[in-house]
Amino acid sequence: MRNILVIDDDEIIQNVLEKILVKEGFRVERAQNGKEGLAKFDLLKYDLVITDLMMPYANGFEIISKLKQHPNTANAAVIVISSITHEESVMDSFKLGVDEYIRKPIMVGELLLRIKKLLLSRPSNA
Amino acid sequence: MPDIFADFSPEEPVRIPLLDSFLELPVIIQIAVIFIFISSASIVFIQVRIWFTRYKGHRMQKRLAVLLPLIDNLISEHIILRNDVMNNSVHADNADLDIDAFRLREFRKKGNKQILIDRLISYRKGFSGSTGALLRRLYLELDLDKVSFKKMKRSQWNTKVRGIRELTDMDISISDVNILPLTNSKRNELRSEARNAYIKLSKNEPFKFFDISTEPLLKWDQIELFKTITTTENIALPSFARWVTYSSNKSIVSFCLKLIVHYNQIDAGPAVVKLLDNKDHVLRAEAINCLGKLKYEEVEQQLLHIYSNQPLNCQLEILKAIGRMETRHSVLFLKQEFLYSTDFDIRKNAARSLVRNAPKALIEELMASSSEDGQLILKHSMNPLIKY
């Protein structure tokens, strides 16, 4: 079973992503803010981390740069889901090693396809 | 017949013992007693208000704890987790939607209905595509739009704002009769919300309210409107020169000048040039700024001609505009202003425009011949890190 970590301070997005991904057969861990997200890195080896950019305690950029250094998440694919549309933020995210940048509001079908495509192209980390 | 007024004598006043003893106290003590009484009453009143607000908040939290999971489950089951929606294999208008599942007894209460509206809006802000369209359909089929429209008819401005915001978030069009008068409301918050809603929701003429606006468009409102205009997809953009020419509302003209620059509407040049005769020097300065950013070279000679009769803010804008046009026709004028003006800002802006327009040899010559101040200004103007 593939492990996915969802970090977003929006409770609705968290709930919905968890339900969709669990329905699709993934194991999902969720975190409500950056600090909680960083703490979850120690729990499991993740295949995918989905993160927002603007969050309390630690923002998405900090999370992405730290997850690239953590043994449990270094090889995980990363998807950013954010309402920030500035070109600079998108570019900075890709420079940090993000695989996909999806703008809010999300299209559920599109997100799911991207997740599946990303995970198919990588071996499981678990 | 008994005489009930036998003991009553009109000369003798009615005596209240407590009041009498209060009146016998020294004035300073009387004032202190009144002050203590008012303070105590205020503290009791405030404390009761705090308790009441806390109680209301507690009841709301209890209600939310019951209703939100219920709403979330309904939305997940009937909208988000549906395979046809997730695969995008069905159009939201044709998808089967079990409306009756949402017509629960719990949502008949006004307060609970509001919780449902708020939750639907929160979901719609997070999800687009078929999911967003189905959420909108649900809002309409549950007649929740009527609740929002009712709010727009209420007299309190904050309730009106709430109604407009709900309809805007759900992308429900509002008829001009209802929304246009609100775009000119005396209440700034309502006016601003109505204007934003009008731009987002009006498909044909989103800027029609510019025609009737007599109330000013404040700077912050301009920022908000600018954000709405530039982020609304498929917005029908008019020629903003129309309001530059005809509007009597200065703030609308000023805002249109910014939009002309943003959308690079060079055709608006002649209309903007007419503003150079406007009596308001702030508007004149904004028009000059607009012409400079449009690089409207045809007006350069006119700007030089009017320069000496203008106040400082317009002169600075003329210097900047000449620099932006980069025609190199006015190097001599810029040089004179840089060398002989006594005003620091004029020298600085003339130097910046000189750096953009003058040949390198002239800048070097000026560097060699200028005073220490002049050299510093030139060096500053030549720094590429300083945005111009």
Side-chain angles (χ1 to χ4, degrees):
Chain A
M1 192 183 266
R2 299 285 189 113
N3 298 324
I4 300 178
L5 173 61
V6 178
I7 313 169
D8 201 316
D9 58 339
D10 185 336
E11 184 207 347
I12 289 178
I13 300 271
Q14 253 193 61
N15 283 341
V16 170
L17 288 186
E18 184 181 25
K19 282 177 183 167
I20 293 169
L21 296 171
V22 167
K23 192 185 173 200
E24 292 293 317
F26 300 109
R27 177 178 175 177
V28 180
E29 283 291 328
R30 41 192 273 188
Q32 262 199 326
N33 55 56
K35 199 175 156 190
E36 219 179 290
L38 293 172
K40 294 268 178 182
F41 288 177
D42 299 325
L43 281 184
L44 285 172
K45 271 188 177 289
Y46 294 100
D47 295 287
L48 171 68
V49 177
I50 302 174
T51 180
D52 189 6
L53 285 183
M54 278 197 299
M55 282 181 298
Y57 304 118
N59 66 36
F61 296 113
E62 284 175 69
I63 287 174
I64 299 161
S65 41
K66 284 194 178 148
L67 74 83
K68 291 287 172 196
Q69 292 156 14
H70 197 285
N72 281 352
T73 49
N75 296 321
V78 185
I79 295 181
V80 165
I81 296 179
S82 175
S83 48
I84 302 176
T85 52
H86 297 153
E87 202 182 338
E88 273 177 38
S89 300
V90 181
M91 298 291 279
D92 289 347
S93 304
F94 281 114
K95 277 179 199 162
L96 284 172
V98 163
D99 297 278
E100 293 280 359
Y101 191 105
I102 294 174
R103 289 178 176 88
K104 285 182 187 172
I106 309 163
M107 280 200 255
V108 176
E110 182 202 348
L111 175 68
L112 210 54
L113 282 176
R114 286 179 192 266
I115 290 173
K116 284 179 182 170
K117 192 181 151 199
L118 263 179
L119 292 180
L120 267 178
S121 62
R122 290 165 179 261
S124 172
N125 283 338
Chain B
M1 189 177 143
D3 186 359
I4 58 168
F5 298 108
D7 295 335
F8 179 76
S9 156
E11 286 82 30
E12 198 177 309
V14 180
R15 306 200 66 87
I16 303 168
L18 200 62
L19 184 65
D20 287 345
S21 43
F22 173 74
L23 292 172
E24 280 162 15
L25 293 169
V27 177
I28 188 81
I29 302 293
Q30 285 181 6
I31 293 170
V33 168
I34 291 170
F35 184 75
I36 290 167
F37 178 76
I38 292 172
S39 307
S40 308
S42 307
I43 289 168
V44 170
F45 175 74
I46 291 166
Q47 189 61 48
V48 170
R49 279 292 302 254
I50 291 171
W51 282 337
F52 182 66
T53 313
R54 280 187 188 171
Y55 175 69
K56 263 175 70 176
H58 172 69
R59 283 198 54 171
M60 180 55 111
Q61 286 305 320
K62 272 178 79 179
R63 229 191 306 170
L64 288 174
V66 176
L67 287 174
L68 291 186
L70 176 69
I71 298 169
D72 288 349
N73 286 336
L74 283 170
I75 292 178
S76 297
E77 188 185 336
H78 295 280
I79 294 180
I80 290 173
L81 295 180
R82 290 167 52 142
N83 286 330
D84 54 353
V85 173
M86 276 166 70
N87 303 333
N88 226 3
S89 59
V90 66
H91 193 272
D93 294 340
N94 307 324
D96 290 329
L97 188 57
D98 186 5
I99 295 292
D100 290 333
F102 290 87
R103 288 204 173 104
L104 299 178
R105 196 165 43 89
E106 286 89 335
F107 299 134
R108 281 186 207 146
K109 275 188 184 171
K110 198 178 154 192
N112 293 355
K113 206 174 254 186
Q114 188 56 49
I115 293 172
L116 176 63
I117 293 176
D118 292 343
R119 201 63 172 171
L120 281 178
I121 289 171
S122 303
Y123 268 91
R124 192 150 196 277
K125 280 182 182 168
F127 300 95
S128 60
S130 310
T131 315
L134 264 183
L135 287 164
R136 182 179 181 273
R137 215 184 111 192
L138 179 66
Y139 173 79
L140 285 172
E141 292 194 17
L142 288 173
D143 286 336
L144 298 176
D145 58 323
K146 287 179 183 152
V147 179
S148 305
F149 274 116
K150 254 187 203 166
K151 284 182 195 148
M152 275 187 67
K153 301 253 159 65
R154 296 276 289 276
S155 54
Q156 298 101 317
W157 67 268
N158 49 342
T159 315
K160 279 182 199 266
V161 166
R162 198 163 185 188
I164 295 173
R165 203 168 285 169
E166 286 170 8
L167 292 164
T168 314
D169 287 339
M170 277 294 172
D171 204 15
I172 309 293
S173 24
I174 311 171
S175 65
D176 283 7
V177 184
N178 287 326
I179 190 94
L180 265 180
L182 301 181
T183 61
N184 207 24
S185 161
K186 293 275 175 207
R187 186 89 205 182
N188 177 35
E189 293 89 342
L190 179 57
R191 200 166 68 220
S192 165
E193 198 65 40
R195 285 168 173 174
N196 272 307
Y198 196 79
I199 286 182
K200 271 190 186 167
L201 302 174
S202 174
K203 303 291 176 215
N204 302 320
E205 282 190 273
F207 299 91
K208 196 174 165 186
F209 71 87
F210 280 3
D211 293 332
I212 60 153
S213 282
T214 50
E215 293 295 328
L217 198 57
L218 306 176
K219 290 280 178 203
W220 179 248
D221 296 344
Q222 292 191 21
I223 294 169
E224 286 283 314
L225 266 186
F226 189 81
K227 190 177 150 203
T228 309
I229 293 166
T230 50
T231 53
T232 305
E233 285 175 16
N234 305 323
I235 192 164
L237 282 175
S239 166
F240 295 105
R242 179 174 141 196
W243 293 285
V244 169
T245 311
Y246 298 112
S247 180
S248 54
N249 185 332
K250 282 179 188 171
S251 58
I252 294 279
V253 176
S254 162
F255 185 53
C256 284
L257 289 172
K258 292 178 186 95
L259 291 171
I260 285 170
V261 172
H262 181 77
Y263 291 107
N264 201 25
Q265 293 188 342
I266 295 171
D267 294 350
V272 181
V273 172
K274 282 183 188 157
L275 281 182
L276 297 180
D277 298 327
N278 196 289
K279 283 179 185 167
D280 185 339
H281 68 95
V282 177
L283 211 53
R284 258 189 344 260
E286 286 178 354
I288 298 165
N289 181 290
C290 172
L291 290 165
K293 285 180 178 166
L294 286 177
K295 294 184 187 284
Y296 197 71
E297 295 171 10
E298 292 88 330
V299 82
E300 187 175 0
Q301 286 308 312
Q302 190 179 341
L303 291 179
L304 291 177
H305 182 71
I306 63 170
Y307 179 82
S308 54
N309 302 324
Q310 298 298 315
L312 181 64
N313 59 335
C314 293
Q315 287 188 329
L316 294 177
E317 287 302 337
I318 290 175
L319 292 169
K320 285 181 199 169
I322 289 169
R324 286 178 179 132
M325 286 172 194
E326 290 182 84
T327 60
R328 303 186 173 208
H329 298 324
S330 311
V331 173
L332 194 62
F333 163 75
L334 293 171
K335 185 182 162 187
Q336 275 180 339
E337 287 305 302
F338 171 67
L339 289 175
Y340 305 117
S341 176
T342 50
D343 186 278
F344 174 77
D345 284 328
I346 285 190
R347 293 188 73 198
K348 188 177 79 179
N349 283 289
R352 282 176 166 181
S353 294
L354 264 175
V355 168
R356 286 180 77 152
N357 284 272
K360 213 175 172 185
L362 178 63
I363 302 293
E364 281 166 6
E365 183 197 315
L366 282 170
M367 277 293 273
S369 61
S370 295
S371 61
E372 203 177 327
D373 281 356
Q375 285 177 357
L376 275 175
I377 293 172
L378 273 173
K379 271 185 193 167
H380 171 84
S381 306
M382 284 191 286
N383 187 341
L385 296 174
I386 295 169
K387 301 273 181 193
Y388 181 45

